[in-house]
Amino acid sequence: MAVTVKLPTILRKHAGGEAKVGADGATLRDVLVDLEGKYPGITKNVISEDGGLHRFINVYVNDEDVRYLGSLETEVSEGDTVSILPAVAGGQR
Amino acid sequence: MSELDGVFYKEIVEQGLREFPNECCGVIAAEKGVPVKVFPMKNADASPVTYRLDGREQLKVFDEMDEQGWELWAIYHSHTHSEAYPSETDRRLAFYPEARYMLLSLTDREDPVFRSFLIRDGEVEEEELVIT
């Protein structure tokens, strides 16, 4: 399945400055593996050390938060848009 | 040096006071480097010591900025019991190096302090902020 992946600014340096790139896969995990193959280092901070989705990264498939779908195993369809959006978070502690 | 319209500043202070003692948060959009809109947003943590934008609201606002051709100019939040300086958590979670991180301290609610920082690779650099 060919999907469009929208990248946050912080990841664009891995993809030659592009804001949107194409990738292939049947699940979100496949799409990220495909991206990593094309743009090494791009998923380093998206997937955590335990192989899951990083706690401070939100990923949406067509505006649906994948945490409420199947996380990295969420299935994607031809033409879907995958948005990677790091959390905006912090605080005095 | 950055300039922020006093109307926008007032909006942020009012939000901070309204949500006190919890931290408030939001973003400021700009068009060609000039701030055009403040988006006061929900603190999904609803906490006096942390903040996190609600993911869906963040996606909606970021999409709106894209559609309007606006850029993410600043991310702001309040510290209700400490100074207006990025905490260790703020530095660690600064995933938007293109934006300023603005902090509103409400330690003295009669006399708020608002400061602006660039946080890149964990390094904090203050920039002069002029409220016009």
Side-chain angles (χ1 to χ4, degrees):
Chain A
M1 308 294 166
V3 302
T4 300
V5 183
K6 287 172 76 176
L7 301 172
T9 306
I10 200 166
L11 294 183
R12 291 178 196 167
K13 60 177 185 259
H14 299 284
E18 295 294 325
K20 285 182 187 180
V21 294
D24 284 293
T27 64
L28 177 58
R29 187 184 294 278
D30 295 346
V31 166
L32 294 175
V33 167
D34 186 50
L35 268 189
E36 182 66 30
K38 289 177 179 157
Y39 310 109
I42 200 165
T43 65
K44 187 166 75 80
N45 295 316
V46 174
I47 297 175
S48 63
E49 282 170 12
D50 64 10
L53 188 58
H54 193 287
R55 195 174 144 228
F56 285 102
I57 299 286
N58 301 320
V59 179
Y60 301 86
V61 173
N62 302 334
D63 297 352
E64 291 295 325
D65 187 339
V66 301
R67 284 205 169 79
Y68 299 106
L69 300 171
S71 197
L72 289 175
E73 312 316 322
T74 300
E75 291 181 7
V76 296
S77 307
E78 185 75 23
D80 279 355
T81 298
V82 174
S83 306
I84 301 176
L85 215 54
V88 174
Q92 65 200 36
R93 190 172 66 201
Chain B
M1 197 260 285
S2 283
E3 290 189 355
L4 183 68
D5 193 309
V7 173
F8 293 148
Y9 173 62
K10 193 161 169 264
E11 218 177 307
I12 292 166
V13 171
E14 279 170 1
Q15 182 196 4
L17 293 174
R18 201 165 57 235
E19 297 187 20
F20 191 93
N22 286 347
E23 295 193 1
C24 78
C25 54
V27 302
I28 305 173
E31 189 167 356
K32 299 189 177 81
V34 179
V36 289
K37 185 170 175 163
V38 172
F39 290 91
M41 290 162 78
K42 177 178 153 189
N43 177 2
D45 287 348
S47 155
V49 288
T50 63
Y51 79 98
R52 180 171 182 152
L53 300 193
D54 173 75
R56 288 192 72 89
E57 188 180 22
Q58 182 188 347
L59 181 70
K60 194 168 144 271
V61 167
F62 281 31
D63 280 349
E64 182 180 339
M65 288 194 290
D66 267 353
E67 281 159 26
Q68 300 283 348
W70 295 341
E71 65 263 5
L72 177 66
W73 188 75
I75 292 166
Y76 68 85
H77 74 283
S78 62
H79 282 177
T80 51
H81 298 92
S82 66
E83 65 169 333
Y85 192 84
S87 65
E88 193 274 327
T89 313
D90 293 332
R91 293 196 292 273
R92 191 165 44 82
L93 300 179
F95 299 123
Y96 292 88
E98 73 272 32
R100 293 152 185 74
Y101 283 82
M102 294 186 164
L103 279 114
L104 176 72
S105 172
L106 295 174
T107 304
D108 178 354
R109 277 181 279 168
E110 303 290 311
D111 187 19
V113 177
F114 199 45
R115 293 165 70 185
S116 176
F117 303 88
L118 299 170
I119 309 177
R120 289 171 182 157
D121 300 321
E123 298 292 318
V124 176
E125 188 191 331
E126 182 161 14
E127 65 156 11
E128 191 187 344
L129 176 63
V130 177
I131 308 294
T132 59

